[in-house]
Amino acid sequence: DAGVTQSPTHLIKTRGQQVTLRCSPISGHKSVSWYQQVLGQGPQFIFQYYEKEERGRGNFPDRFSARQFPNYSSELNVNALLLGDSALYLCASSLAQRRTHEQYFGPGTRLTVT
Amino acid sequence: DAKTTQPPSMDCAEGRAANLPCNHSTISGNEYVYWYRQIHSQGPQYIIHGLKNNETNEMASLIITEDRKSSTLILPHATLRDTAVYYCIVEGTTSGTYKYIFGTGTRLKVLA
């Protein structure tokens, strides 16, 4: 079975530009979460989507937005990029929103903002 | 606002048990403890989780103290491939949403 897939693998953008990152969850998983991981730190929660609705948001500015599609795939959008947005962006899927379901992480998209 | 504290690094000899501690003194009665590991900037990998009772699976054992304020992840026979950053996570709840709050983890180095 395919795991969580993310695209692109690497991305280089310039300050002020916009970026879209994509995530395909494991088949049958309806919940997708996004995390930002800056070098040397643990992942930081950005968003959770379940059944195409936003169910949670972390402490990130409005420049960050996301959506989930009918096939449960998801996109993370970041506008007006800053140097500090350089990070590994991780997507995780789970069967449901319930706490007893573990999350499965994708390999991430490494974003570099210059 | 991480809810867990872990030692920043640990070493373990190959073939020996690795015992990774975690403090979560503010845990609520219905919050689970999860353990994940991350190998060299790959996505974190689920290991195990528990609420009150000790848990064991094919990867590891999780020992949770009776007061639930701390736990220990045990890798019974560590191998070089177990070298990774190990995260102990207690979920946070905001407006009904359960989210993982990662700390900085423990960097485990398994030595040959």
Side-chain angles (χ1 to χ4, degrees), chain B residues 1 7 12-13 22 24-25 28 30-33 41 44 50 62 69 71 75 79 88 104:
Chain B
D1 57 344
C12 177
C22 178
H24 31 79
S25 57
S28 299
N30 60 353
E31 291 179 329
Y32 283 73
V33 179
S41 292
L62 174 60
K69 292 184 176 182
S71 61
L75 307 178
T79 70
C88 167
T104 52

Side-chain angles (χ1 to χ4, degrees), chain A residues 7-110:
Chain A
S7 62
T9 305
H10 295 85
L11 201 53
I12 300 175
K13 290 285 189 178
T14 305
R15 276 179 299 175
Q17 287 188 316
Q18 175 265 341
V19 68
T20 298
L21 310 180
R22 297 176 175 81
C23 172
S24 292
I26 292 172
S27 177
H29 285 194
K30 298 181 178 181
S31 178
V32 170
S33 297
W34 286 94
Y35 294 81
Q36 179 196 65
Q37 186 173 25
V38 175
L39 196 62
Q41 299 182 15
Q44 301 297 307
F45 173 77
I46 309 176
F47 287 110
Q48 183 189 56
Y49 275 77
Y50 177 67
E51 288 284 15
K52 300 177 288 293
E53 293 187 5
E54 181 183 304
R55 299 301 181 100
R57 173 186 288 255
N59 295 325
F60 281 81
D62 292 343
R63 300 184 296 107
F64 288 77
S65 63
R67 56 180 174 169
Q68 187 177 34
F69 298 99
N71 65 354
Y72 302 109
S73 66
S74 177
E75 287 182 351
L76 175 70
N77 295 285
V78 186
N79 294 322
L81 285 167
L82 304 174
L83 294 179
D85 295 331
S86 295
L88 181 68
Y89 288 85
L90 295 161
C91 172
S93 76
S94 62
L95 273 171
Q97 194 186 7
R98 290 175 56 191
R99 55 177 25 137
T100 55
H101 290 124
E102 62 268 27
Q103 296 191 9
Y104 294 84
F105 284 80
T109 293
R110 184 160 299 283

